[in-house]
Short mmCIF file of all heavy atoms in Angstrom, two decimals:
data_model
loop_
_atom_site.label_atom_id
_atom_site.label_comp_id
_atom_site.label_asym_id
_atom_site.label_seq_id
_atom_site.Cartn_x
_atom_site.Cartn_y
_atom_site.Cartn_z
N LEU A 277 -23.58 -77.34 107.83
CA LEU A 277 -24.80 -76.55 107.61
C LEU A 277 -25.14 -76.44 106.13
O LEU A 277 -26.30 -76.55 105.74
CB LEU A 277 -24.62 -75.15 108.21
CG LEU A 277 -24.53 -75.05 109.73
CD1 LEU A 277 -24.33 -73.60 110.15
CD2 LEU A 277 -25.76 -75.63 110.40
N ASP A 278 -24.13 -76.26 105.30
CA ASP A 278 -24.35 -76.17 103.86
C ASP A 278 -25.00 -77.45 103.33
O ASP A 278 -25.91 -77.41 102.50
CB ASP A 278 -23.03 -75.92 103.12
CG ASP A 278 -22.50 -74.50 103.34
OD1 ASP A 278 -23.28 -73.64 103.79
OD2 ASP A 278 -21.30 -74.27 103.08
N ALA A 279 -24.49 -78.58 103.81
CA ALA A 279 -25.03 -79.87 103.37
C ALA A 279 -26.49 -80.03 103.81
O ALA A 279 -27.34 -80.50 103.05
CB ALA A 279 -24.18 -81.01 103.91
N MET A 280 -26.79 -79.63 105.05
CA MET A 280 -28.15 -79.76 105.56
C MET A 280 -29.12 -78.83 104.84
O MET A 280 -30.27 -79.19 104.57
CB MET A 280 -28.18 -79.50 107.06
CG MET A 280 -27.38 -80.50 107.89
SD MET A 280 -27.74 -82.23 107.46
CE MET A 280 -29.49 -82.32 107.77
N VAL A 281 -28.67 -77.62 104.52
CA VAL A 281 -29.51 -76.69 103.75
C VAL A 281 -29.79 -77.28 102.38
O VAL A 281 -30.92 -77.22 101.87
CB VAL A 281 -28.81 -75.31 103.62
CG1 VAL A 281 -29.53 -74.44 102.60
CG2 VAL A 281 -28.78 -74.61 104.97
N TYR A 282 -28.78 -77.88 101.79
CA TYR A 282 -28.92 -78.46 100.45
C TYR A 282 -29.97 -79.56 100.42
O TYR A 282 -30.87 -79.56 99.56
CB TYR A 282 -27.57 -79.00 99.99
CG TYR A 282 -27.62 -79.72 98.67
CD1 TYR A 282 -27.81 -79.02 97.48
CD2 TYR A 282 -27.48 -81.10 98.61
CE1 TYR A 282 -27.86 -79.68 96.26
CE2 TYR A 282 -27.53 -81.78 97.40
CZ TYR A 282 -27.72 -81.07 96.23
OH TYR A 282 -27.77 -81.71 95.03
N ILE A 283 -29.88 -80.53 101.35
CA ILE A 283 -30.85 -81.63 101.31
C ILE A 283 -32.24 -81.14 101.72
O ILE A 283 -33.25 -81.70 101.27
CB ILE A 283 -30.41 -82.83 102.19
CG1 ILE A 283 -30.41 -82.46 103.67
CG2 ILE A 283 -29.05 -83.35 101.75
CD1 ILE A 283 -30.19 -83.67 104.56
N SER A 284 -32.30 -80.11 102.55
CA SER A 284 -33.60 -79.54 102.92
C SER A 284 -34.27 -78.92 101.70
O SER A 284 -35.48 -79.04 101.50
CB SER A 284 -33.43 -78.51 104.03
OG SER A 284 -34.66 -77.91 104.37
N GLU A 285 -33.47 -78.26 100.87
CA GLU A 285 -34.01 -77.66 99.65
C GLU A 285 -34.51 -78.72 98.68
O GLU A 285 -35.35 -78.43 97.82
CB GLU A 285 -32.93 -76.80 98.98
CG GLU A 285 -32.59 -75.53 99.75
CD GLU A 285 -31.41 -74.78 99.15
OE1 GLU A 285 -30.69 -75.38 98.32
OE2 GLU A 285 -31.21 -73.60 99.51
N LYS A 286 -34.00 -79.93 98.82
CA LYS A 286 -34.44 -81.05 97.98
C LYS A 286 -35.60 -81.82 98.63
O LYS A 286 -35.95 -82.92 98.20
CB LYS A 286 -33.27 -82.01 97.73
CG LYS A 286 -32.08 -81.36 97.03
CD LYS A 286 -32.44 -80.86 95.65
CE LYS A 286 -31.24 -80.25 94.95
NZ LYS A 286 -31.57 -79.77 93.59
N ASN A 287 -36.17 -81.23 99.68
CA ASN A 287 -37.32 -81.82 100.39
C ASN A 287 -36.99 -83.16 101.02
O ASN A 287 -37.79 -84.10 101.02
CB ASN A 287 -38.52 -81.97 99.44
CG ASN A 287 -39.01 -80.64 98.92
OD1 ASN A 287 -39.11 -79.67 99.67
ND2 ASN A 287 -39.30 -80.58 97.63
N LEU A 288 -35.78 -83.26 101.57
CA LEU A 288 -35.36 -84.48 102.26
C LEU A 288 -35.09 -84.18 103.73
O LEU A 288 -34.67 -83.08 104.08
CB LEU A 288 -34.08 -85.04 101.62
CG LEU A 288 -34.19 -85.51 100.17
CD1 LEU A 288 -32.81 -85.88 99.64
CD2 LEU A 288 -35.14 -86.70 100.07
N ALA A 289 -35.35 -85.15 104.56
CA ALA A 289 -35.06 -85.04 106.00
C ALA A 289 -34.12 -86.17 106.40
O ALA A 289 -34.26 -87.30 105.92
CB ALA A 289 -36.35 -85.11 106.82
N HIS A 290 -33.14 -85.89 107.26
CA HIS A 290 -32.15 -86.89 107.63
C HIS A 290 -32.66 -87.84 108.71
O HIS A 290 -32.43 -89.04 108.65
CB HIS A 290 -30.87 -86.20 108.10
CG HIS A 290 -29.70 -87.13 108.21
ND1 HIS A 290 -29.58 -88.07 109.22
CD2 HIS A 290 -28.59 -87.28 107.44
CE1 HIS A 290 -28.45 -88.74 109.07
NE2 HIS A 290 -27.84 -88.28 107.99
N TYR A 291 -33.30 -87.34 109.72
CA TYR A 291 -33.90 -88.10 110.82
C TYR A 291 -32.91 -88.64 111.84
O TYR A 291 -33.30 -89.08 112.92
CB TYR A 291 -34.76 -89.27 110.30
CG TYR A 291 -36.02 -88.83 109.59
CD1 TYR A 291 -36.20 -89.11 108.23
CD2 TYR A 291 -37.02 -88.12 110.26
CE1 TYR A 291 -37.35 -88.70 107.57
CE2 TYR A 291 -38.16 -87.72 109.61
CZ TYR A 291 -38.33 -88.01 108.27
OH TYR A 291 -39.46 -87.60 107.63
N ASP A 292 -31.64 -88.70 111.53
CA ASP A 292 -30.67 -89.23 112.50
C ASP A 292 -29.36 -88.46 112.40
O ASP A 292 -28.28 -89.05 112.28
CB ASP A 292 -30.44 -90.73 112.25
CG ASP A 292 -29.70 -91.39 113.39
OD1 ASP A 292 -29.71 -90.84 114.52
OD2 ASP A 292 -29.09 -92.46 113.18
N LEU A 293 -29.46 -87.14 112.45
CA LEU A 293 -28.27 -86.31 112.31
C LEU A 293 -27.48 -86.28 113.61
O LEU A 293 -27.98 -85.87 114.65
CB LEU A 293 -28.67 -84.89 111.92
CG LEU A 293 -27.52 -83.91 111.68
CD1 LEU A 293 -26.66 -84.37 110.53
CD2 LEU A 293 -28.06 -82.50 111.42
N LYS A 294 -26.24 -86.75 113.55
CA LYS A 294 -25.33 -86.73 114.70
C LYS A 294 -23.91 -86.82 114.17
O LYS A 294 -23.68 -87.17 113.00
CB LYS A 294 -25.62 -87.87 115.66
CG LYS A 294 -25.57 -89.26 115.04
CD LYS A 294 -25.97 -90.32 116.05
CE LYS A 294 -25.93 -91.72 115.42
NZ LYS A 294 -26.34 -92.76 116.40
#
Side-chain angles (χ1 to χ4, degrees):
L277 292 179
D278 289 344
M280 296 312 301
V281 168
Y282 175 72
I283 67 171
S284 178
E285 290 173 345
K286 301 297 181 180
N287 297 318
L288 296 173
H290 193 287
Y291 291 116
D292 193 21
L293 182 62
K294 57 184 180 181

